Amino acid sequence: MEKIQSAIAKARDARSKLAPAGGDSPGAAPGQLRPAAYGAAGAVPAVWAALPAFVPNAPLLVRNRIVTHAGGAEAVDFDVMRTRLLQQMRANGWRRVAVTSPGASCGKTTIVLNLGFSLARQADTRTVVAELDLRRPSIARTLGLKPRAGFAGVLTGEAAFEDCVSCYNGNLAIATNQGPVRNSAELLAGPTVAAALSDVESRYDPTLMIVDMPPMLVSDDVMAFAGQVDCVLLVAAAESSTIKEIDACERDLAAQTNVLGVVLNKCRYTERSAGYGAYG
């Protein structure tokens, strides 16, 4: 009996560390998601438990097309992408993947966040989502976050990682920015970037670091940073991105890093089989 009571006490302590600063997760306001248990992988590592926790607002996520937090039929396509991504990264021994697009409005940030929340449902993974679309950062607004600092400051050594990050479920750390950053390409090509990324990895040991980058064809930010990641995922928009644009992006990226693949987003028509398994 004493062993059972001790185990219960440890579980309660672990749950309390995941709760937001305003109170315990069972008291979350209506419409907010309660963090799930960390799962069978064990207790949340201390460095992750110490990160500022947040409880996402479910209606806000849905309005912004973030559908993977709860799983279900709408999350299936992203879950398949998550599994393929993990398999490729593990097979090659990679940890850093950047996500970009040829032009604006291809939905790359939406895909990044859906991948992040999908990965958070796997207890044996720890994911860092890092926002480096510095000219038009949007993740904090999309999730309703108010970071004390920006991830750009982490790369220059002017801010602490803990001040720009919000942690969900003890295994998804989302590093955001407070607003646009000037001279972003120069910052991303700066001498402190490699050491800053290595420091985050050494302290938090994430399974994956997913970097949300700006569109390739609107600036030189992606090319300035591409050498810092193991691979890049390119997001193209159906009926918007052209084959010529995709080819140009793949060619430029391949000169600096590995091109993991191309995701065709915003498809208006899907095959009938796409609805298979839509149950529960």
Side-chain angles (χ1 to χ4, degrees):
M1 179 63 72
E2 291 180 359
K3 291 182 178 180
I4 295 175
Q5 291 175 339
S6 176
I8 293 173
K10 289 181 180 179
R12 286 175 176 169
D13 182 62
R15 286 196 301 270
S16 67
K17 290 178 181 178
L18 290 176
D24 207 349
S25 59
Q32 290 186 321
L33 298 174
R34 294 178 174 83
Y38 194 68
V44 179
V47 290
W48 284 76
L51 291 174
F54 82 106
V55 180
N57 182 287
L60 179 63
L61 293 187
V62 172
R63 284 200 302 272
N64 289 315
R65 298 182 176 87
I66 313 303
V67 298
T68 55
H69 52 280
E74 291 186 328
V76 169
D77 289 342
F78 292 107
D79 290 347
V80 170
M81 193 187 310
R82 167 201 68 191
T83 300
R84 290 177 176 172
L85 175 64
L86 277 172
Q87 289 173 341
Q88 288 293 316
M89 299 294 283
R90 287 169 173 164
N92 289 284
W94 296 338
R95 280 212 287 186
R96 300 179 191 172
V97 53
V99 181
T100 184
S101 58
S105 302
C106 291
K108 61 174 181 58
T109 302
T110 301
I111 285 179
V112 165
L113 291 175
N114 274 298
L115 280 173
F117 280 101
S118 179
L119 285 160
R121 302 197 335 263
Q122 292 198 333
D124 63 339
T125 67
R126 291 188 294 273
T127 306
V128 170
V129 168
E131 180 178 48
L132 286 182
D133 188 345
L134 301 180
R135 297 170 188 252
R136 298 182 64 181
S138 62
I139 292 180
R141 181 180 69 253
T142 298
L143 299 180
L145 303 175
K146 296 181 179 180
R148 290 180 291 178
F151 187 63
V154 176
L155 297 185
T156 60
E158 299 172 349
F161 181 71
E162 297 79 5
D163 290 336
C164 72
V165 73
S166 300
C167 189
Y168 169 71
N169 197 39
N171 66 345
L172 172 61
I174 303 176
T176 59
N177 292 283
Q178 299 162 308
V181 177
R182 299 183 65 180
N183 303 317
S184 54
E186 291 80 3
L187 185 156
L188 293 171
T192 60
V193 171
L197 294 174
S198 295
D199 179 65
V200 171
E201 284 187 336
S202 64
R203 287 195 292 144
Y204 294 94
D205 192 26
T207 308
L208 289 181
M209 180 182 290
I210 304 177
V211 184
D212 180 32
M213 298 297 299
M216 279 197 68
L217 302 180
V218 301
S219 72
D220 59 337
D221 289 25
V222 175
M223 298 309 295
F225 184 79
Q228 302 292 344
V229 296
D230 298 306
C231 59
V232 175
L233 187 65
L234 186 64
V235 178
E239 302 181 19
S240 174
S241 303
T242 67
I243 297 297
K244 183 178 180 180
E245 289 174 338
I246 295 170
D247 285 344
C249 290
E250 286 187 293
R251 183 173 59 253
D252 288 344
L253 289 169
Q256 293 202 57
T257 188
N258 300 287
V259 180
L260 190 61
V262 179
V263 175
L264 185 61
N265 196 26
K266 298 189 176 183
C267 295
R268 296 176 59 189
Y269 305 102
T270 57
E271 296 179 1
R272 293 180 180 179
S273 59
Y276 178 79
Y279 53 84

